[in-house]
């Protein structure tokens, strides 16, 4: 066995009798290309139970065998990792048992505390090369939630794949409730992958900075892991390369997340890292979400590189090596970002919300080096189209090392709007199917039919919802977007303005338009 693996003794287990449930219980766990649910609390409130995790993992293993044509010949090897959530250990054990239950030719490897990007990398890294992997995480959601993300060497699974897995899990439950199950001695093991992943990240920094084996010497970098899985980045990536990480905070895993929400979009979280950078007189700060597929950066002056500014910085970096390239983003990015990307010789394609939507669109385009959401989910063609917060942070740190800490110069010419707003408008109980699409189409007609105020002009392209530019004196002043939420029964209204009071004016128009719809609240 590979060093670090542990063999568990040959054992017999009897699956506990499971309560029969309707097919919707599994389908309700789907959250786009992930599985999400309540994993802790009163029994009647828990939706992602240990049994369901076991059955879902079982189904994943069986599907991998079927896709690979390995039924009865050879087998599959699946890695299982988790973030710091308090339910992670138990659900990891159940997922591994579910994999083993799928057949004696199915082996499960416990990778322990891990990150979502690392779980994908474990499927393509020499010496590991798992057939698939499962990450137990619910990103930045509260401590009582958990979820599952799935990978194969081809990448993260799509929404249709998750539907297939959940359908198969229902069948597993129906067919295998009760009965003796056999687990062989080589089916359940542990392996250590995070040190290998950290080494990959260090190698990128050494190669790109070009200053020997301690390219970060002289830089003080604060890391805020939010008590998630990102603490390794300070101790195993930055410090060995000479960085001073002494001001770092919340590196210890704690699934109750006692300090702040581990979310680079959250205002309190960003204030926390800004304060830490200031108090420690650091050159740079890096903050991660729980499972490290998102990150944001703060420079020495406290300027936050998240949302549009992070996209601008990463666009400047990637377009240097991919002149004329396309940057794909979600639908709520600013007009100023488009101007900035074009000023760097690139093309901006504003697509849809949902990081998988953004990444998959980028894969279709020749010379698309960067696909990134305002949420911080960002993927690069050079990094397997993987949304990896640690890799994104590495690219920013390389730039900081080259620029002696001056990241502000990277986004010269980029301007944030004067005002910005996001408002969610929920549907009432009686809202019919497709109600949100109806309202969006009516808004399009409103904007294009002459009922909208003067200067409201439909945007050049609309891939999600309907976006209108607001002109003042023939000059672009701001914009409004109304779209259907990806997962919830509600509309989302986004607005930005370069003039004080502009958003309030826009929202008066929007609210008057929405008032006529009885099923909006």
């Amino acid at each position: 066995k590979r060093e670090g693996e542990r063999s568990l003794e040959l054992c017999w287990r009897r699956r506990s009798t499971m309560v029969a449930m309707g097919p919707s219980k599994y389908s309700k766990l789907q959250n786009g290309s992930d599985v999400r649910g309540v994993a802790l609390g009163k029994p009647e409130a828990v939706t992602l139970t240990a049994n369901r995790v076991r059955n879902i993992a079982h189904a994943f293993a069986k599907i991998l065998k079927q896709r690979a044509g390995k039924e009865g010949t050879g087998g599959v090897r699946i890695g299982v990792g988790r973030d710091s959530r308090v339910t992670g250990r138990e659900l990891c054990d159940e997922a591994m048992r579910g994999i083993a239950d799928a057949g004696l030719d199915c082996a499960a490897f416990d990778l322990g505390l891990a990150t979502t990007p690392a779980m994908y990398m474990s499927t393509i890294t020499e010496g590991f090369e798992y057939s698939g992997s499962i990450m137990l995480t619910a990103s930045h959601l509260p401590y009582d939630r958990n979820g599952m993300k799935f990978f194969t060497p081809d990448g993260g699974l799509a929404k249709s794949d998750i539907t297939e897995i959940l359908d198969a899990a229902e069948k597993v439950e129906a067919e295998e409730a009760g009965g003796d199950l056999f687990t062989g001695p080589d089916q359940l093991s542990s392996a250590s992958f995070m040190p290998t992943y950290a080494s990959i990240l260090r190698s990128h920094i050494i190669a790109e900075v070009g200053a020997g084996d301690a390219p970060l010497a002289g830089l003080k970098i604060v890391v805020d892991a939010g008590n998630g899985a990102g603490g390794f980045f300070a101790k195993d990536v930055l410090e060995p390369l000479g960085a001073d990480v002494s001001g770092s905070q919340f590196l210890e895993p704690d699934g109750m997340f006692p300090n702040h929400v581990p979310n680079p979009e959250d205002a309190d979280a960003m204030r926390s890292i800004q304060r830490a950078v200031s108090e420690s007189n650091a050159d740079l700060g890096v903050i991660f979400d729980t499972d490290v597929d998102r990150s944001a950066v703060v420079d020495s002056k406290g300027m936050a590189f998240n949302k549009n500014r992070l996209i601008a910085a990463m666009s400047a970096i990637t377009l240097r090596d991919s002149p004329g390239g396309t940057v794909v983003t979600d639908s709520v990015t600013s007009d100023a970002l488009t101007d900035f990307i074009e000023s760097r010789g690139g093309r901006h394609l504003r697509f849809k919300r949902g990081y998988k939507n953004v990444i998959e669109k980028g894969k279709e385009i020749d010379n698309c080096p960067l696909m990134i959401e305002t949420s911080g989910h960002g993927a690069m063609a050079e990094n397997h189209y993987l949304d990896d917060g640690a890799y994104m942070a590495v690219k920013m740190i390389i730039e900081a090392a080259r620029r002696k800490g001056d990241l502000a110069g990277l986004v010269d010419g980029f301007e944030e709007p004067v005002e910005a707003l996001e408002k969610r408008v929920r549907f009432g109980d009686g809202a019919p199917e497709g109600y949100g699409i109806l309202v969006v189409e009516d808004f399009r007609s409103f904007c294009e039919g002459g009922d909208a105020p003067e200067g409201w002009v439909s945007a050049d392209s609309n891939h999600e919802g309907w976006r209108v530019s607001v002109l003042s004196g023939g000059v672009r002043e701001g914009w409004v977007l109304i779209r259907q939420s990806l997962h919830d029964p509600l509309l989302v209204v986004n607005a930005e303005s370069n003039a004080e009071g502009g958003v309030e004016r826009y929202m008066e128009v929007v609210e008057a338009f929405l008032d006529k719809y009885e099923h909006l609240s």
Side-chain angles (χ1 to χ4, degrees):
K1 287 187 175 62
R2 183 182 300 110
E3 184 179 355
E5 294 183 0
R6 53 179 166 81
S7 177
L8 301 184
E9 63 180 310
L10 186 67
C11 62
W12 284 90
R13 291 185 288 105
R14 179 175 296 275
R15 189 192 301 270
S16 58
T17 301
M18 291 179 279
V19 178
M21 60 184 205
S24 64
K25 294 292 179 67
Y26 277 95
S27 62
K28 285 181 178 179
L29 294 172
Q30 182 159 5
N31 182 64
S33 56
D34 303 340
V35 167
R36 294 269 178 92
V38 177
L40 185 68
K42 294 181 179 179
E44 63 271 19
V46 173
T47 58
L48 189 65
T49 64
N51 284 341
R52 290 171 197 164
V53 168
R54 186 165 66 225
N55 292 334
I56 292 168
H58 183 140
F60 179 51
K62 290 183 72 172
I63 287 170
L64 286 185
K65 289 202 299 180
Q66 292 162 0
R67 288 184 179 181
K70 292 180 177 178
E71 285 284 9
T73 59
V76 297
R77 302 165 64 251
I78 300 175
V80 183
R82 55 188 170 84
D83 67 16
S84 60
R85 292 172 186 280
V86 293
T87 55
R89 175 71 272 172
E90 177 192 5
L91 296 186
C92 179
D93 289 345
E94 294 299 328
M96 291 190 53
R97 289 169 184 160
I99 293 164
D101 289 351
L104 289 173
D105 55 352
C106 294
F109 297 82
D110 181 356
L111 302 192
L113 187 72
T115 70
T116 293
M119 293 308 298
Y120 167 70
M121 293 299 292
S122 72
T123 69
I124 62 170
T125 300
E126 185 177 358
F128 296 86
E129 297 171 309
Y130 297 125
S131 314
S133 63
I134 299 173
M135 178 67 181
L136 291 156
T137 181
S139 188
H140 62 281
L141 295 182
Y143 71 92
D144 61 339
R145 305 304 204 271
N146 215 323
M148 304 170 78
K149 296 184 178 183
F150 303 85
F151 297 95
T152 71
D154 294 328
L157 297 193
K159 182 177 181 180
S160 58
D161 298 314
I162 303 305
T163 301
E164 180 184 3
I165 289 171
L166 293 176
D167 288 345
E170 288 179 3
K171 294 176 182 176
V172 170
E173 178 166 297
E175 294 169 359
E176 301 188 12
D180 292 323
L181 295 167
F182 179 79
T183 301
D186 296 324
Q187 285 189 267
L188 300 175
S189 304
S190 64
S192 179
F193 181 71
M194 287 304 293
T196 300
Y197 175 66
S199 175
I200 293 170
L201 297 176
R202 291 197 306 270
S203 296
H204 282 302
I205 297 173
I206 291 170
E208 293 294 322
V209 176
D213 292 337
L216 303 183
L219 278 179
K220 186 167 189 178
I221 304 175
V222 169
V223 176
D224 183 333
N227 301 112
F232 82 100
F233 194 77
K235 298 299 183 181
D236 298 334
V237 178
L238 302 183
E239 196 169 50
L241 299 182
D244 177 357
V245 297
S246 58
S248 296
Q249 60 185 13
F250 316 140
L251 302 183
E252 291 302 316
D254 185 336
M256 297 302 291
F257 310 121
N259 293 292
H260 62 68
V261 176
N263 181 2
E265 280 191 290
D266 183 75
D268 288 339
M270 291 306 298
R271 280 191 289 269
S272 178
I273 184 65
Q274 288 169 318
R275 186 165 53 247
V277 168
S278 175
E279 291 175 354
S280 61
N281 197 29
D283 299 294
L284 199 67
V286 178
I287 185 169
F288 295 112
D289 73 341
T290 316
D291 61 325
V292 197
D293 58 3
R294 295 186 294 141
S295 63
V297 170
V298 172
D299 73 6
S300 60
K301 296 181 175 61
M303 178 183 289
F305 286 77
N306 65 344
K307 301 182 180 178
N308 284 291
R309 188 179 282 117
L310 177 62
I311 300 174
M314 290 304 303
S315 297
I317 292 170
T318 55
L319 289 171
R320 277 200 310 249
D321 297 326
S322 301
T326 297
V327 176
V328 179
T329 72
D330 56 342
S331 61
V332 299
T333 47
S334 69
D335 289 334
L337 179 63
T338 301
D339 295 340
F340 180 84
I341 290 171
E342 292 176 351
S343 75
R344 295 302 192 272
R347 174 175 172 262
H348 181 200
L349 174 58
R350 188 184 290 119
F351 195 52
K352 300 177 181 178
R353 292 285 280 181
Y355 70 94
K356 289 291 288 184
N357 291 329
V358 172
I359 293 171
E360 291 305 313
K361 187 64 179 177
K363 288 180 179 179
E364 299 173 2
I365 300 170
D366 291 336
N367 193 16
C368 180
L370 179 65
M371 299 126 273
I372 184 168
E373 269 199 313
T374 46
S375 67
H377 278 289
M380 300 177 66
E382 70 180 50
N383 189 42
H384 314 287
Y385 295 96
L386 175 65
D387 53 318
D388 186 342
Y391 192 86
M392 198 75 62
V394 159
K395 298 297 286 189
M396 294 290 284
I397 289 166
I398 289 168
E399 200 66 27
R402 290 171 171 172
R403 292 172 168 268
K404 309 300 182 187
D406 176 28
L407 286 179
L410 191 61
V411 291
D412 277 345
F414 173 74
E415 296 183 3
E416 295 279 10
V418 173
E419 298 175 340
L421 173 75
E422 179 173 285
K423 180 178 180 179
R424 294 171 178 261
V425 183
R426 296 196 171 274
F427 300 164
D429 292 338
E433 183 96 15
Y435 195 63
I437 297 172
L438 169 69
V439 176
V440 169
E441 283 300 314
D442 284 355
F443 182 64
R444 173 182 180 174
S445 299
F446 170 79
C447 293
E448 296 189 332
D451 292 328
E454 182 179 356
W456 282 47
V457 180
S458 292
D460 292 337
S461 62
N462 275 288
H463 294 282
E464 179 179 49
W466 200 254
R467 179 167 172 145
V468 59
S469 297
V470 180
L471 309 181
S472 177
V475 178
R476 189 180 63 207
E477 179 188 271
W479 57 271
V480 175
L481 169 68
I482 297 181
R483 60 187 174 86
Q484 165 75 55
S485 169
L486 282 176
H487 305 301
D488 300 313
L490 55 84
L491 293 173
V492 185
V493 181
N494 292 90
E496 288 187 357
S497 175
N498 296 321
E500 289 187 10
V503 166
E504 183 178 358
R505 283 189 282 110
Y506 309 163
M507 290 307 296
E508 287 175 356
V509 174
V510 170
E511 287 166 2
F513 167 79
L514 295 177
D515 273 348
K516 63 185 179 183
Y517 294 94
E518 61 176 322
H519 296 300
L520 297 180
S521 58

